[in-house]
């Protein structure tokens, strides 16, 4: 059912011309269609559906929602998974989940098309779950993070620094912990990861929480989703 609905959503998106570079139906008719994606590399819906098993809000055990991350950053991280800069650390089981998925991404063109696909989607609102001291977090963000991630968390592509204002708060916190405890950026040629790891020197897990609580409340581009309780009888 879910798969079917997902497929229909994608087709609707294509019909509206919103489907950035990703075909809904792969077939000979596509070549003639004015809406056909450029031959820059296409991803079939089955591959995207496979990504969405973990990268949507459907599952409890899942990866982050990728919608709205910049194309260059998504491509960069997919290359990191492909080359083994990420995902080869047995201590990071979450990253290891990506390994099997990357086996489906055979070519650079496919990888680029996947990055384009997720970058073309709108950032998703999410339920804020990280609590912390906003004032302390704001001050720390300004002195320790803003130079690379921007005053609004918008990121700086020229130094390959991603935005931090679209991801879910739990994922931001999780990644800060992983940089700090050596679960992310363990590969000696993962230049970006090593820069980020160094940026956390001297900060504590409590600092991470304060900064993420601040980012989620004041910088995140989507409004918070409210928790919905069980329906009243
Ligand atoms: C079996 C689950 C699973 C599947 C399938 C999967 N992923 Fe992931 N992915 C994850 C998890 C978990 C993480 C977070 C890793 C971590 O916490 O270190 C992740 C991380 C990522 C990241 C890094 C995000 C960031 O901001 O650092 C990207 C990009 C990504 N996945 C893209 C994809 C794409 C594209 C596909 C489909 C080809 C895919 N994933 C399929 C589980 C999965
Ligand atoms: C010197 C520049 C620099 C500074 C300072 C810096 N970062 Fe980063 N940050 C980066 C780069 C580069 C990356 C991408 C690293 C990679 O490829 O793994 C990154 C990645 C991240 C990520 C992972 C995003 C994702 O989607 O996977 C988070 C979260 C993050 N930074 C938060 C912070 C916070 C909070 C601070 C302040 C304590 C900070 N950064 C300071 C450069 C910086």
């Amino acid at each position: 059912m879910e798969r079917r609905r997902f497929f229909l959503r994608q087709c609707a998106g294509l019909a509206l011309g919103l489907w950035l570079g990703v075909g809904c139906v792969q077939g000979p008719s596509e070549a003639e269609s004015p809406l056909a994606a450029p031959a820059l590399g296409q991803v079939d819906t089955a591959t995207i559906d496979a990504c969405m098993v973990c990268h949507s809000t459907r599952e409890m055990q899942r990866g982050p929602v990728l919608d709205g991350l910049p194309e260059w950053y998504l491509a960069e991280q997919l290359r990191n998974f492909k080359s083994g800069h990420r995902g080869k650390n047995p201590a990071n089981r979450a990253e290891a989940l990506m390994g099997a998925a990357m086996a489906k991404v055979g070519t650079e063109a496919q990888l680029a098309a996947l990055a384009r696909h997720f970058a073309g989607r709108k950032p998703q609102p999410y339920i804020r779950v990280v609590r912390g001291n906003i004032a302390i977090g704001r001050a720390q963000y300004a002195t320790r993070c803003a130079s690379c991630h921007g005053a609004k968390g918008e990121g700086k592509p020229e130094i390959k620094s991603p935005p931090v204002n679209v991801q879910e708060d739990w994922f931001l916190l999780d990644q800060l912990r992983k940089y700090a405890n050596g679960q992310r950026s363990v590969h000696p040629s993962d230049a970006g990861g090593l820069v980020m790891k160094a940026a956390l020197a001297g900060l504590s897990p409590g600092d991470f929480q304060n900064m993420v609580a601040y980012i989620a409340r004041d910088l995140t581009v989507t409004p918070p989703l409210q928790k919905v309780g069980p329906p009243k009888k």
Side-chain angles (χ1 to χ4, degrees):
M1 227 15 234
E2 271 297 338
R3 287 177 76 87
R4 192 172 160 73
R5 234 182 296 150
F6 179 73
F7 181 72
L8 290 174
R9 254 207 327 268
Q10 291 201 68
C11 288
L14 181 70
L16 290 167
L18 291 173
W19 210 244
L20 295 163
V22 183
C24 166
V25 182
Q26 305 275 319
S29 62
E30 210 180 33
E32 287 105 53
S33 159
L35 289 172
L40 265 171
Q42 298 191 347
V43 194
D44 57 291
T45 50
T47 305
I48 292 170
D49 220 357
C51 306
M52 292 303 278
V53 168
C54 297
H55 288 288
S56 75
T57 49
R58 251 187 252 161
E59 303 283 327
M60 290 299 283
Q61 292 285 321
R62 64 176 175 92
V65 168
L66 304 170
D67 301 2
L69 279 168
E71 187 176 337
W72 66 265
Y73 182 68
L74 289 164
E76 181 90 357
Q77 295 307 314
L78 290 174
R79 283 184 206 112
N80 278 344
F81 284 112
K82 197 86 198 150
S83 67
H85 285 178
R86 277 183 88 176
K88 289 279 191 291
N89 177 1
N92 186 346
R93 289 211 215 113
E95 270 191 359
L97 289 172
M98 276 296 292
M102 286 314 288
K104 291 197 202 329
V105 184
T107 64
E108 171 65 24
Q110 253 188 320
L111 185 153
L114 275 170
R116 189 147 38 102
H117 166 80
F118 286 104
R121 293 169 62 90
K122 278 209 206 95
Q124 298 283 333
Y126 65 87
I127 296 172
R128 312 298 199 251
V129 294
V130 175
R131 305 266 173 272
N133 183 314
I134 304 280
I136 296 177
R138 178 186 296 117
Q140 262 173 341
Y141 182 87
T143 52
R144 300 290 304 257
C145 322
S147 59
C148 292
H149 290 288
K152 295 182 176 154
E154 71 278 20
K156 295 198 176 166
E158 63 278 18
I159 52 168
K160 292 196 173 179
S161 186
V164 288
N165 62 4
V166 290
Q167 300 95 326
E168 299 157 282
D169 57 359
W170 68 264
F171 179 70
L172 293 171
L173 184 59
D174 181 64
Q175 295 303 299
L176 291 177
R177 288 178 179 150
K178 284 178 175 168
Y179 283 118
N181 72 14
Q183 285 193 40
R184 184 168 169 182
S185 75
V186 283
H187 198 284
S189 13
D190 178 8
L194 293 170
V195 163
M196 182 50 215
K197 187 180 172 68
L200 297 179
L203 293 171
S204 70
D207 296 329
F208 299 164
Q209 248 173 283
N210 293 336
M211 289 187 296
V212 170
Y214 160 68
I215 293 170
R217 205 197 66 171
D218 288 1
L219 303 184
T220 299
V221 295
T222 54
L225 264 191
Q226 300 307 320
K227 244 187 209 120
V228 181
K232 290 217 175 75
K233 287 202 185 119

